[in-house]
Amino acid sequence: MIYLKKFRLPSPLQEELFLNDIRRTCYTGAYPFGIFMEREVPGFTFEPITIFCGGNGSGKSTILNVIAAALQIGHEAPFNRSAMFDDYVKLCDYEVSHHFAGECREKSRIIASDNVFDYLLNVRCLNDGIDNQREKLFEEYLDAKYSKFQFRGMGDYEDLRKVVQARRSTQSQYVRNRLMSNVRERSNGESALSCFVNTIEENALYLLDEPENSLSPEKQLELLSFLCDSARFYHCQIVLSTHSPFLLSAPGAKIYDLDSNPPRVRRFAELENVRVYYDFFKKHEDAFEAARDGPG
């Protein structure tokens, strides 16, 4: 599904005319004016999965933040928003499909690194609560297992149940049966992946800013599979910025190379970012072959 069809940033001429016309004696900064002023950025058109790729400072995150602001979709995390940010957004032009309305717009959001970080903090707080509850359950288990309990009536039913469970199980089994699954067993990477899985719903537009952060290569491949399935089967549109060669390999994705001037659509294997990985592993190909063959 395609909700966002086209998006055009202000042209260098529009930026220059605006900056020359303002009558402000003091402002904190002109961002995002000037980011693309030296480049004639084309109007972007979008597919079910569209990717912005480029080096640090190429404007990937800026584009996502501007799109989110223009479309007025959820953006809980703080971002670089100068006094002139809204002026810049007003100069942008875009086209959306009629499907991008109502519940679809409400569910759509941008997910940045700070969102993932907040999710990890929430998981940690949940873990702290679980740890406290676990200690209480350890004590409850010992009291129940070795108590000289006598059943006197239905009012004692809950205590009887605890005693029976304690005497039929080990301490670990007792605690697990009475406590939710221990989320601490997930690493930060696994929790970060679950952030995307739990946040992304069907029938919505999602802007993902470098979602590979905190993810191992294996988890990046899992995220890639999830995003492709979300676009293919659950009518999501995914727009993301990334350095990850794994995410850049998304089948059928339209990739904008922001390192070229002007930015242009390129194939996965043409990207300089991907070539760096390729050249590195080719340089060390003998070491990989030796490792595959084993000792000796």
Side-chain angles (χ1 to χ4, degrees):
M1 180 67 71
I2 297 178
Y3 303 106
L4 175 60
K5 294 181 176 180
K6 299 178 181 179
F7 198 92
R8 180 178 291 277
L9 299 173
S11 68
L13 178 58
Q14 285 179 293
E15 289 197 42
E16 183 178 358
L17 290 175
F18 177 85
L19 292 174
N20 288 338
D21 189 54
I22 60 175
R23 296 292 184 267
R24 304 185 186 188
T25 58
C26 179
Y27 51 84
T28 57
Y31 174 86
F33 286 94
I35 298 294
F36 302 101
M37 209 164 180
E38 301 301 321
R39 291 178 285 172
E40 185 66 46
V41 179
F44 300 114
T45 60
F46 296 84
E47 298 295 332
I49 298 180
T50 303
I51 302 175
F52 292 106
C53 175
N56 296 329
S58 62
K60 303 185 302 299
S61 297
T62 296
I63 291 173
L64 295 189
N65 287 329
V66 168
I67 291 175
L71 272 57
Q72 299 181 343
I73 65 176
H75 198 321
E76 291 97 10
F79 63 99
N80 189 1
R81 188 185 185 99
S82 73
M84 300 178 68
F85 187 88
D86 290 338
D87 294 318
Y88 186 89
V89 170
K90 290 176 183 177
L91 295 176
C92 296
D93 185 40
Y94 64 88
E95 179 182 347
V96 295
S97 72
H98 68 278
H99 299 288
F100 187 67
E103 185 180 4
C104 173
R105 182 186 290 269
E106 291 176 5
K107 291 193 300 183
S108 298
R109 63 189 62 255
I110 180 170
I111 305 175
S113 297
D114 282 344
N115 297 111
V116 178
F117 181 70
D118 288 344
Y119 182 89
L120 295 178
L121 286 181
N122 290 337
V123 169
R124 182 173 298 175
C125 291
L126 179 60
N127 275 320
D128 290 340
I130 286 176
D131 282 344
N132 293 334
Q133 190 175 356
R134 184 192 293 108
E135 294 299 325
K136 294 178 181 179
L137 287 173
F138 283 157
E139 296 177 6
E140 180 182 291
Y141 170 81
L142 294 175
D143 291 342
K145 187 175 183 69
Y146 299 108
S147 69
K148 296 180 180 180
F149 176 79
Q150 291 184 348
F151 183 72
R152 297 183 179 86
M154 290 306 296
D156 296 330
Y157 177 78
E158 178 62 21
D159 290 335
L160 174 64
R161 187 170 67 85
K162 291 178 182 178
V163 170
V164 172
Q165 286 182 348
R167 292 176 178 174
R168 286 181 175 177
S169 61
T170 65
Q171 186 182 56
S172 177
Q173 290 171 335
Y174 179 85
V175 171
R176 282 182 176 273
N177 288 338
R178 295 183 61 80
L179 190 65
M180 63 181 290
S181 296
N182 182 10
V183 292
R184 190 183 294 281
E185 292 174 354
R186 290 180 174 177
S187 66
N188 278 353
E190 290 172 319
S191 296
L193 178 61
S194 71
C195 173
F196 295 103
V197 173
N198 292 332
T199 301
I200 293 177
E201 303 178 61
E202 60 185 12
N203 303 312
L205 167 66
Y206 292 97
L207 314 177
L208 311 182
D209 189 11
E210 298 188 15
E212 67 271 19
N213 292 341
S214 299
L215 297 181
S216 68
E218 180 183 11
K219 293 304 175 186
Q220 290 181 47
L221 288 172
E222 288 186 35
L223 177 61
L224 172 63
S225 178
F226 172 73
L227 295 179
C228 289
D229 287 347
S230 297
R232 182 178 181 185
F233 300 113
Y234 298 103
H235 309 296
C236 290
Q237 184 179 15
I238 307 294
V239 180
L240 65 117
S241 68
T242 186
H243 297 284
S244 167
F246 303 104
L247 298 182
L248 286 165
S249 70
K254 174 179 279 189
I255 304 173
Y256 282 101
D257 179 13
L258 298 184
D259 285 333
S260 62
N261 189 10
R264 62 184 62 185
V265 175
R266 294 193 186 276
R267 294 178 297 178
F268 160 73
E270 296 175 328
L271 296 167
E272 181 64 25
N273 186 62
V274 174
R275 295 291 305 185
V276 169
Y277 285 94
Y278 177 81
D279 292 340
F280 175 84
F281 288 115
K282 286 293 289 184
K283 179 179 178 180
H284 297 279
E285 185 175 10
D286 291 344
F288 284 96
E289 291 296 329
R292 185 182 65 178
D293 295 338

